[in-house]
Amino acid sequence: MSDSKENTSSHPLSTTECYEWSRMHGEPLGTANFKSELSDFVVEETLRFELSGEGAHHFLYIEKQNINTDIVVQKLIRFAEVKPTDVGYAGKKDRFAITRQWFSVQLPLLREIDWSEFNDDEVKVLEVTRHDKKLRIGAVKSNHFDIRLRDLNISQEDFKKRLDKIIEEGFPNYFGEQRFGNRGANLTRGIDLLIKNKKLKNRNLQGLLFSAVRSYLYNHVVSERINKGLSAKLLQGDFVMLSGSEKGFVVEDISAEQPRFIENDILLTAPLAGSRPQPMHEALSFEAECLSEYQVLIEKLANKRFNEERRALKCFPKNVTSEWHNETEVSLSFDLPKGAFATSMLRELVTLVEHKPVKGMTNNEHD
């Protein structure tokens, strides 16, 4: 066991090699500058439930620029003079972007706040309503993206062909690089915590670090399945997920499920590692082989009471449109389900050269 620990802890998970996941549609067509301006990456969140308009929880649809979701939470706590547990949100959004997402703040029923006074150079309240329950992580239905790619060195015809293929066949549902932290720091720390059986006082941070490890293992299995030509093939015992749902089942009769698989009514999945693996037979053997060198990490996750969860192997963008502004600039608009990363779709098109804007920059471009 000691040798396994040493091998696992020395594995180069924190290097750039850990981001070289297999692509589904071939090598990138070229390069593109990404996030040259804040307005080059715009995200709008849609919740999976309707707001009642009544209750103690003030729901705020907030536009933020060049700050992360946690900073908005801290601003709300200070402004409304509430406890951290009184503030909720459904998911974290990119810092280097213009994002619009919901937050909830619980207040006494008779207390009123002029939320317009919360606005500053970084945040703006676009809509206010009420609801009877706090906003919880995972309550997102979908995210809408408006993205501009600049300085492309590929033809519009080739771009369209690849984009059409992605729309029809989907793209690998990889967790994006941001999940692993700056230069893989979250991944490295998460592995260290597991191997050395450490605990952090900050449970939220600890959960984030463990999530980075599970995300890496998921990406690894997806990459291996693509690499071995199995991303469009059912294996005996595959755990598949119903399209548009988080529910699924084990495939016992491939021939009976093949028509639904071809129509993308059911989707292949890959594991978020933990105890109680869900696939069986051939599919279970395949995943076990993929993860054989990481068994120590999986055992440690199981000891932390993580049960295996499943995530769809592919993602299909919806409502996709593109508009070329000139020969080297294109805007993409599309919807992705919750948890999907726009960068995982874009990497199937081009190699992204990211130019993050500096703090406090102005941006008056509106398209």
mmCIF file with all atom_site columns, all heavy atoms in Angstrom, residues 296-311:
data_model
loop_
_atom_site.group_PDB
_atom_site.id
_atom_site.type_symbol
_atom_site.label_atom_id
_atom_site.label_alt_id
_atom_site.label_comp_id
_atom_site.label_asym_id
_atom_site.label_entity_id
_atom_site.label_seq_id
_atom_site.pdbx_PDB_ins_code
_atom_site.Cartn_x
_atom_site.Cartn_y
_atom_site.Cartn_z
_atom_site.occupancy
_atom_site.B_iso_or_equiv
_atom_site.pdbx_formal_charge
_atom_site.auth_seq_id
_atom_site.auth_comp_id
_atom_site.auth_asym_id
_atom_site.auth_atom_id
_atom_site.pdbx_PDB_model_num
ATOM 1   N N   . VAL A 1 296 ? -5.989  4.025  -5.005  1.00 0.00 ? 296 VAL A N   1
ATOM 2   C CA  . VAL A 1 296 ? -5.773  4.574  -3.657  1.00 0.00 ? 296 VAL A CA  1
ATOM 3   C C   . VAL A 1 296 ? -6.637  5.823  -3.458  1.00 0.00 ? 296 VAL A C   1
ATOM 4   O O   . VAL A 1 296 ? -7.270  5.994  -2.417  1.00 0.00 ? 296 VAL A O   1
ATOM 5   C CB  . VAL A 1 296 ? -4.283  4.897  -3.424  1.00 0.00 ? 296 VAL A CB  1
ATOM 6   C CG1 . VAL A 1 296 ? -4.093  5.652  -2.117  1.00 0.00 ? 296 VAL A CG1 1
ATOM 7   C CG2 . VAL A 1 296 ? -3.466  3.621  -3.431  1.00 0.00 ? 296 VAL A CG2 1
ATOM 8   N N   . LEU A 1 297 ? -6.666  6.682  -4.459  1.00 0.00 ? 297 LEU A N   1
ATOM 9   C CA  . LEU A 1 297 ? -7.491  7.892  -4.362  1.00 0.00 ? 297 LEU A CA  1
ATOM 10  C C   . LEU A 1 297 ? -8.969  7.533  -4.240  1.00 0.00 ? 297 LEU A C   1
ATOM 11  O O   . LEU A 1 297 ? -9.705  8.145  -3.441  1.00 0.00 ? 297 LEU A O   1
ATOM 12  C CB  . LEU A 1 297 ? -7.272  8.780  -5.588  1.00 0.00 ? 297 LEU A CB  1
ATOM 13  C CG  . LEU A 1 297 ? -5.929  9.497  -5.706  1.00 0.00 ? 297 LEU A CG  1
ATOM 14  C CD1 . LEU A 1 297 ? -5.868  10.269 -7.017  1.00 0.00 ? 297 LEU A CD1 1
ATOM 15  C CD2 . LEU A 1 297 ? -5.715  10.443 -4.533  1.00 0.00 ? 297 LEU A CD2 1
ATOM 16  N N   . ILE A 1 298 ? -9.411  6.556  -5.030  1.00 0.00 ? 298 ILE A N   1
ATOM 17  C CA  . ILE A 1 298 ? -10.821 6.161  -4.989  1.00 0.00 ? 298 ILE A CA  1
ATOM 18  C C   . ILE A 1 298 ? -11.181 5.575  -3.626  1.00 0.00 ? 298 ILE A C   1
ATOM 19  O O   . ILE A 1 298 ? -12.252 5.858  -3.069  1.00 0.00 ? 298 ILE A O   1
ATOM 20  C CB  . ILE A 1 298 ? -11.124 5.171  -6.125  1.00 0.00 ? 298 ILE A CB  1
ATOM 21  C CG1 . ILE A 1 298 ? -10.925 5.867  -7.482  1.00 0.00 ? 298 ILE A CG1 1
ATOM 22  C CG2 . ILE A 1 298 ? -12.553 4.645  -6.019  1.00 0.00 ? 298 ILE A CG2 1
ATOM 23  C CD1 . ILE A 1 298 ? -11.016 4.953  -8.675  1.00 0.00 ? 298 ILE A CD1 1
ATOM 24  N N   . GLU A 1 299 ? -10.283 4.761  -3.067  1.00 0.00 ? 299 GLU A N   1
ATOM 25  C CA  . GLU A 1 299 ? -10.516 4.216  -1.723  1.00 0.00 ? 299 GLU A CA  1
ATOM 26  C C   . GLU A 1 299 ? -10.592 5.327  -0.693  1.00 0.00 ? 299 GLU A C   1
ATOM 27  O O   . GLU A 1 299 ? -11.427 5.298  0.226   1.00 0.00 ? 299 GLU A O   1
ATOM 28  C CB  . GLU A 1 299 ? -9.399  3.240  -1.368  1.00 0.00 ? 299 GLU A CB  1
ATOM 29  C CG  . GLU A 1 299 ? -9.422  1.944  -2.176  1.00 0.00 ? 299 GLU A CG  1
ATOM 30  C CD  . GLU A 1 299 ? -8.183  1.102  -1.946  1.00 0.00 ? 299 GLU A CD  1
ATOM 31  O OE1 . GLU A 1 299 ? -7.389  1.448  -1.036  1.00 0.00 ? 299 GLU A OE1 1
ATOM 32  O OE2 . GLU A 1 299 ? -7.990  0.115  -2.670  1.00 0.00 ? 299 GLU A OE2 1
ATOM 33  N N   . LYS A 1 300 ? -9.723  6.317  -0.824  1.00 0.00 ? 300 LYS A N   1
ATOM 34  C CA  . LYS A 1 300 ? -9.739  7.440  0.116   1.00 0.00 ? 300 LYS A CA  1
ATOM 35  C C   . LYS A 1 300 ? -11.049 8.228  -0.004  1.00 0.00 ? 300 LYS A C   1
ATOM 36  O O   . LYS A 1 300 ? -11.611 8.676  1.005   1.00 0.00 ? 300 LYS A O   1
ATOM 37  C CB  . LYS A 1 300 ? -8.553  8.358  -0.153  1.00 0.00 ? 300 LYS A CB  1
ATOM 38  C CG  . LYS A 1 300 ? -7.194  7.728  0.122   1.00 0.00 ? 300 LYS A CG  1
ATOM 39  C CD  . LYS A 1 300 ? -6.950  7.566  1.607   1.00 0.00 ? 300 LYS A CD  1
ATOM 40  C CE  . LYS A 1 300 ? -5.530  7.105  1.887   1.00 0.00 ? 300 LYS A CE  1
ATOM 41  N NZ  . LYS A 1 300 ? -5.272  6.932  3.337   1.00 0.00 ? 300 LYS A NZ  1
ATOM 42  N N   . LEU A 1 301 ? -11.528 8.424  -1.236  1.00 0.00 ? 301 LEU A N   1
ATOM 43  C CA  . LEU A 1 301 ? -12.806 9.117  -1.433  1.00 0.00 ? 301 LEU A CA  1
ATOM 44  C C   . LEU A 1 301 ? -13.951 8.319  -0.823  1.00 0.00 ? 301 LEU A C   1
ATOM 45  O O   . LEU A 1 301 ? -14.852 8.887  -0.195  1.00 0.00 ? 301 LEU A O   1
ATOM 46  C CB  . LEU A 1 301 ? -13.050 9.342  -2.931  1.00 0.00 ? 301 LEU A CB  1
ATOM 47  C CG  . LEU A 1 301 ? -12.193 10.416 -3.599  1.00 0.00 ? 301 LEU A CG  1
ATOM 48  C CD1 . LEU A 1 301 ? -12.284 10.307 -5.114  1.00 0.00 ? 301 LEU A CD1 1
ATOM 49  C CD2 . LEU A 1 301 ? -12.626 11.811 -3.151  1.00 0.00 ? 301 LEU A CD2 1
ATOM 50  N N   . ALA A 1 302 ? -13.917 7.002  -1.001  1.00 0.00 ? 302 ALA A N   1
ATOM 51  C CA  . ALA A 1 302 ? -14.949 6.147  -0.407  1.00 0.00 ? 302 ALA A CA  1
ATOM 52  C C   . ALA A 1 302 ? -14.916 6.238  1.114   1.00 0.00 ? 302 ALA A C   1
ATOM 53  O O   . ALA A 1 302 ? -15.960 6.271  1.775   1.00 0.00 ? 302 ALA A O   1
ATOM 54  C CB  . ALA A 1 302 ? -14.751 4.707  -0.868  1.00 0.00 ? 302 ALA A CB  1
ATOM 55  N N   . ASN A 1 303 ? -13.700 6.313  1.677   1.00 0.00 ? 303 ASN A N   1
ATOM 56  C CA  . ASN A 1 303 ? -13.560 6.451  3.140   1.00 0.00 ? 303 ASN A CA  1
ATOM 57  C C   . ASN A 1 303 ? -14.115 7.776  3.637   1.00 0.00 ? 303 ASN A C   1
ATOM 58  O O   . ASN A 1 303 ? -14.487 7.903  4.807   1.00 0.00 ? 303 ASN A O   1
ATOM 59  C CB  . ASN A 1 303 ? -12.094 6.313  3.551   1.00 0.00 ? 303 ASN A CB  1
ATOM 60  C CG  . ASN A 1 303 ? -11.571 4.896  3.385   1.00 0.00 ? 303 ASN A CG  1
ATOM 61  O OD1 . ASN A 1 303 ? -12.349 3.934  3.316   1.00 0.00 ? 303 ASN A OD1 1
ATOM 62  N ND2 . ASN A 1 303 ? -10.257 4.748  3.287   1.00 0.00 ? 303 ASN A ND2 1
ATOM 63  N N   . LYS A 1 304 ? -14.139 8.781  2.730   1.00 0.00 ? 304 LYS A N   1
ATOM 64  C CA  . LYS A 1 304 ? -14.728 10.078 3.070   1.00 0.00 ? 304 LYS A CA  1
ATOM 65  C C   . LYS A 1 304 ? -16.244 10.073 2.837   1.00 0.00 ? 304 LYS A C   1
ATOM 66  O O   . LYS A 1 304 ? -16.891 11.113 2.869   1.00 0.00 ? 304 LYS A O   1
ATOM 67  C CB  . LYS A 1 304 ? -14.090 11.181 2.211   1.00 0.00 ? 304 LYS A CB  1
ATOM 68  C CG  . LYS A 1 304 ? -12.597 11.379 2.428   1.00 0.00 ? 304 LYS A CG  1
ATOM 69  C CD  . LYS A 1 304 ? -12.295 12.007 3.763   1.00 0.00 ? 304 LYS A CD  1
ATOM 70  C CE  . LYS A 1 304 ? -10.803 12.304 3.899   1.00 0.00 ? 304 LYS A CE  1
ATOM 71  N NZ  . LYS A 1 304 ? -10.466 12.848 5.235   1.00 0.00 ? 304 LYS A NZ  1
ATOM 72  N N   . ARG A 1 305 ? -16.790 8.881  2.589   1.00 0.00 ? 305 ARG A N   1
ATOM 73  C CA  . ARG A 1 305 ? -18.220 8.671  2.400   1.00 0.00 ? 305 ARG A CA  1
ATOM 74  C C   . ARG A 1 305 ? -18.754 9.261  1.103   1.00 0.00 ? 305 ARG A C   1
ATOM 75  O O   . ARG A 1 305 ? -19.941 9.648  1.016   1.00 0.00 ? 305 ARG A O   1
ATOM 76  C CB  . ARG A 1 305 ? -19.022 9.189  3.601   1.00 0.00 ? 305 ARG A CB  1
ATOM 77  C CG  . ARG A 1 305 ? -18.652 8.481  4.900   1.00 0.00 ? 305 ARG A CG  1
ATOM 78  C CD  . ARG A 1 305 ? -19.558 8.893  6.041   1.00 0.00 ? 305 ARG A CD  1
ATOM 79  N NE  . ARG A 1 305 ? -19.206 8.171  7.263   1.00 0.00 ? 305 ARG A NE  1
ATOM 80  C CZ  . ARG A 1 305 ? -19.832 8.323  8.424   1.00 0.00 ? 305 ARG A CZ  1
ATOM 81  N NH1 . ARG A 1 305 ? -20.834 9.189  8.515   1.00 0.00 ? 305 ARG A NH1 1
ATOM 82  N NH2 . ARG A 1 305 ? -19.454 7.630  9.490   1.00 0.00 ? 305 ARG A NH2 1
ATOM 83  N N   . PHE A 1 306 ? -17.898 9.333  0.092   1.00 0.00 ? 306 PHE A N   1
ATOM 84  C CA  . PHE A 1 306 ? -18.370 9.671  -1.247  1.00 0.00 ? 306 PHE A CA  1
ATOM 85  C C   . PHE A 1 306 ? -18.875 8.402  -1.913  1.00 0.00 ? 306 PHE A C   1
ATOM 86  O O   . PHE A 1 306 ? -18.142 7.412  -2.012  1.00 0.00 ? 306 PHE A O   1
ATOM 87  C CB  . PHE A 1 306 ? -17.245 10.273 -2.096  1.00 0.00 ? 306 PHE A CB  1
ATOM 88  C CG  . PHE A 1 306 ? -16.918 11.693 -1.773  1.00 0.00 ? 306 PHE A CG  1
ATOM 89  C CD1 . PHE A 1 306 ? -15.834 12.005 -0.969  1.00 0.00 ? 306 PHE A CD1 1
ATOM 90  C CD2 . PHE A 1 306 ? -17.688 12.725 -2.278  1.00 0.00 ? 306 PHE A CD2 1
ATOM 91  C CE1 . PHE A 1 306 ? -15.512 13.318 -0.668  1.00 0.00 ? 306 PHE A CE1 1
ATOM 92  C CE2 . PHE A 1 306 ? -17.383 14.048 -1.988  1.00 0.00 ? 306 PHE A CE2 1
ATOM 93  C CZ  . PHE A 1 306 ? -16.293 14.341 -1.182  1.00 0.00 ? 306 PHE A CZ  1
ATOM 94  N N   . ASN A 1 307 ? -20.117 8.404  -2.362  1.00 0.00 ? 307 ASN A N   1
ATOM 95  C CA  . ASN A 1 307 ? -20.638 7.341  -3.206  1.00 0.00 ? 307 ASN A CA  1
ATOM 96  C C   . ASN A 1 307 ? -20.447 7.742  -4.665  1.00 0.00 ? 307 ASN A C   1
ATOM 97  O O   . ASN A 1 307 ? -20.473 8.930  -4.996  1.00 0.00 ? 307 ASN A O   1
ATOM 98  C CB  . ASN A 1 307 ? -22.118 7.085  -2.936  1.00 0.00 ? 307 ASN A CB  1
ATOM 99  C CG  . ASN A 1 307 ? -22.357 6.434  -1.594  1.00 0.00 ? 307 ASN A CG  1
ATOM 100 O OD1 . ASN A 1 307 ? -21.522 5.668  -1.106  1.00 0.00 ? 307 ASN A OD1 1
ATOM 101 N ND2 . ASN A 1 307 ? -23.486 6.750  -0.974  1.00 0.00 ? 307 ASN A ND2 1
ATOM 102 N N   . GLU A 1 308 ? -20.258 6.753  -5.534  1.00 0.00 ? 308 GLU A N   1
ATOM 103 C CA  . GLU A 1 308 ? -20.099 7.071  -6.945  1.00 0.00 ? 308 GLU A CA  1
ATOM 104 C C   . GLU A 1 308 ? -21.364 7.739  -7.482  1.00 0.00 ? 308 GLU A C   1
ATOM 105 O O   . GLU A 1 308 ? -22.480 7.331  -7.180  1.00 0.00 ? 308 GLU A O   1
ATOM 106 C CB  . GLU A 1 308 ? -19.815 5.805  -7.759  1.00 0.00 ? 308 GLU A CB  1
ATOM 107 C CG  . GLU A 1 308 ? -19.592 6.098  -9.230  1.00 0.00 ? 308 GLU A CG  1
ATOM 108 C CD  . GLU A 1 308 ? -19.434 4.849  -10.064 1.00 0.00 ? 308 GLU A CD  1
ATOM 109 O OE1 . GLU A 1 308 ? -18.310 4.309  -10.103 1.00 0.00 ? 308 GLU A OE1 1
ATOM 110 O OE2 . GLU A 1 308 ? -20.435 4.404  -10.670 1.00 0.00 ? 308 GLU A OE2 1
ATOM 111 N N   . GLU A 1 309 ? -21.158 8.783  -8.261  1.00 0.00 ? 309 GLU A N   1
ATOM 112 C CA  . GLU A 1 309 ? -22.237 9.435  -8.993  1.00 0.00 ? 309 GLU A CA  1
ATOM 113 C C   . GLU A 1 309 ? -21.903 9.349  -10.472 1.00 0.00 ? 309 GLU A C   1
ATOM 114 O O   . GLU A 1 309 ? -20.770 9.064  -10.860 1.00 0.00 ? 309 GLU A O   1
ATOM 115 C CB  . GLU A 1 309 ? -22.373 10.894 -8.563  1.00 0.00 ? 309 GLU A CB  1
ATOM 116 C CG  . GLU A 1 309 ? -22.678 11.077 -7.081  1.00 0.00 ? 309 GLU A CG  1
ATOM 117 C CD  . GLU A 1 309 ? -22.599 12.529 -6.655  1.00 0.00 ? 309 GLU A CD  1
ATOM 118 O OE1 . GLU A 1 309 ? -23.574 13.263 -6.910  1.00 0.00 ? 309 GLU A OE1 1
ATOM 119 O OE2 . GLU A 1 309 ? -21.561 12.919 -6.083  1.00 0.00 ? 309 GLU A OE2 1
ATOM 120 N N   . ARG A 1 310 ? -22.894 9.602  -11.308 1.00 0.00 ? 310 ARG A N   1
ATOM 121 C CA  . ARG A 1 310 ? -22.682 9.521  -12.753 1.00 0.00 ? 310 ARG A CA  1
ATOM 122 C C   . ARG A 1 310 ? -22.959 10.873 -13.407 1.00 0.00 ? 310 ARG A C   1
ATOM 123 O O   . ARG A 1 310 ? -23.813 11.640 -12.956 1.00 0.00 ? 310 ARG A O   1
ATOM 124 C CB  . ARG A 1 310 ? -23.593 8.465  -13.376 1.00 0.00 ? 310 ARG A CB  1
ATOM 125 C CG  . ARG A 1 310 ? -23.521 7.099  -12.734 1.00 0.00 ? 310 ARG A CG  1
ATOM 126 C CD  . ARG A 1 310 ? -22.156 6.455  -12.851 1.00 0.00 ? 310 ARG A CD  1
ATOM 127 N NE  . ARG A 1 310 ? -21.767 6.148  -14.235 1.00 0.00 ? 310 ARG A NE  1
ATOM 128 C CZ  . ARG A 1 310 ? -20.669 5.455  -14.540 1.00 0.00 ? 310 ARG A CZ  1
ATOM 129 N NH1 . ARG A 1 310 ? -19.852 5.013  -13.586 1.00 0.00 ? 310 ARG A NH1 1
ATOM 130 N NH2 . ARG A 1 310 ? -20.378 5.211  -15.795 1.00 0.00 ? 310 ARG A NH2 1
ATOM 131 N N   . ARG A 1 311 ? -22.207 11.138 -14.453 1.00 0.00 ? 311 ARG A N   1
ATOM 132 C CA  . ARG A 1 311 ? -22.336 12.374 -15.230 1.00 0.00 ? 311 ARG A CA  1
ATOM 133 C C   . ARG A 1 311 ? -22.318 11.988 -16.697 1.00 0.00 ? 311 ARG A C   1
ATOM 134 O O   . ARG A 1 311 ? -21.516 11.127 -17.112 1.00 0.00 ? 311 ARG A O   1
ATOM 135 C CB  . ARG A 1 311 ? -21.176 13.313 -14.895 1.00 0.00 ? 311 ARG A CB  1
ATOM 136 C CG  . ARG A 1 311 ? -21.078 14.592 -15.750 1.00 0.00 ? 311 ARG A CG  1
ATOM 137 C CD  . ARG A 1 311 ? -19.879 15.393 -15.284 1.00 0.00 ? 311 ARG A CD  1
ATOM 138 N NE  . ARG A 1 311 ? -19.490 16.465 -16.193 1.00 0.00 ? 311 ARG A NE  1
ATOM 139 C CZ  . ARG A 1 311 ? -19.850 17.743 -16.056 1.00 0.00 ? 311 ARG A CZ  1
ATOM 140 N NH1 . ARG A 1 311 ? -20.633 18.084 -15.063 1.00 0.00 ? 311 ARG A NH1 1
ATOM 141 N NH2 . ARG A 1 311 ? -19.418 18.668 -16.906 1.00 0.00 ? 311 ARG A NH2 1
#
